[in-house]
Amino acid sequence: MTRPDPGPFPTELLRPDLVDFTGYSSARTSAVAAPARIWLNANESGVASDIDPDGLTRRYPDPQPSALVEAFADLWATTPDRVVVGRGSDEMIELLVRSLCRPGGDGVVVTSPTFGMYAVSARLHGVPVVDVPQVDDELTWRVDVAGVRDAALANGARLVFLASPGNPTGAVVPLREIADLTEALKDQAVVVVDEAYGEFAAQRSAVTLLEEHPTLVVLRTLSKAHALAGLRVGLALAHPDLARVLRRVQAPYPLPVPVTTAALEALGQPALRATGRRVMETLRLRDQVGRRLRDLDGVRAVYASEANFLLLRCDDPDGLLARLVGAGIIVRDMRHLPGLPDALRITIGSTLEMAALERALDSFPASPSATASPAPTSSRPTSGEELS
């Protein structure tokens, strides 16, 4: 099937000084196309290391390993020219800020509470940050999309970051709202949808909107559902014109050879099937732990989640933290974030880890409503449903 032409990426959204920027020409990117037997152009060692006798890591890696790029393109039913791989989603965030925002000008819109690296990357580049707080609906969180649009237009923003599912909220932004926002801002800003937790969500990926929206970018990672946080592999899926710019401003050789090898194995069918099973078990445990947390006296809210964690608010977060630390269990204190003066985030771990968590919670008194009949549950609640 012929893909529709998305049209060009609007170059006026790029930093003016980077429109013709060619980036660093590494030994790999500047190599001649003709077949070669002897490579003497990169100042690499002529012989293998004793710890790597086969010489697998003697040479610099491909800056964008073609096999890995193609594997990601196949996974997301897109084309390789839309894929940029690198050192986790953090690097993709940094590349987008670097490519689109002039230091001291333009702007980035975030929606607190959200992932802190969006604002950190912006501030490290001297870029103003505009925050449009999310709306707490008590059972879930909602991004004020109209407010985001208005703030971006009023402040001359070049980038809008939407985490979907959000961290720490666990809530998704509906695809229709993402599409409408991208369309409304297409002459001014790029909308970035960070789907680090996308495998746990019921909603389909925003990747399905890329063909229609040249100024939309989707971030994915192997760190969460694929259980490979230590590899530090992330990717941006973007319009081919923007993807080329991101590659030009990226530091050379982002992925070591062993990392690429492991990532390719993770994208093979056996590993993907195992990932699917692991996701379903995480969802089961998430629902189970959510019910247990709701039964605790003093826990006022356990938000619906489409990720591998639960956000809760309680009367005595210090007491709950101390009890868990005493059992050797570390959870995330979220009270440093705006609007969350009493919140903790609990990641869903293994079956054994969740059993240990529940044992630690047994010493807490149950809430008066714990004896009520539980409501029917779904293993994959939508963002508007209560997670039971």
Side-chain angles (χ1 to χ4, degrees), residues 197-211:
Y197 303 92
E199 287 86 354
F200 301 100
Q203 177 172 273
R204 61 192 173 95
S205 172
V207 171
T208 57
L209 303 175
L210 287 177
E211 297 288 351

Side-chain angles (χ1 to χ4, degrees), residues 209-227:
L209 303 175
L210 287 177
E211 297 288 351
E212 302 172 24
H213 299 281
T215 55
L216 179 67
V217 176
V218 179
L219 306 183
R220 303 292 300 211
T221 180
L222 296 186
S223 294
K224 310 301 181 183
H226 296 271

Side-chain angles (χ1 to χ4, degrees), residues 11 14-23 95-103 244-246 248-249:
T11 56
L14 299 172
R15 275 176 47 182
D17 55 318
L18 295 182
V19 171
D20 298 320
F21 180 68
T22 59
L95 291 178
L96 286 160
V97 174
R98 188 191 303 175
S99 301
L100 298 168
C101 299
R102 294 168 297 175
R244 279 192 290 272
V245 174
L246 297 180
R248 290 202 300 264
V249 303

Side-chain angles (χ1 to χ4, degrees), residues 3 6-10 14 64 69 72-73 76-85 92 95-96 99-100 159 190-193 206-220 235-247:
R3 293 180 180 272
F9 179 83
L14 299 172
Q64 291 288 300
V69 167
F72 275 127
W76 294 111
T78 189
T79 52
D81 59 354
R82 287 183 173 272
V83 178
V84 182
V85 297
M92 299 299 108
L95 291 178
L96 286 160
S99 301
L100 298 168
L159 272 171
V190 170
V191 174
V192 182
V193 182
V207 171
T208 57
L209 303 175
L210 287 177
E211 297 288 351
E212 302 172 24
H213 299 281
T215 55
L216 179 67
V217 176
V218 179
L219 306 183
R220 303 292 300 211
L235 67 147
L237 299 160
H239 188 284
D241 295 346
L242 178 57
R244 279 192 290 272
V245 174
L246 297 180
R247 295 187 202 104

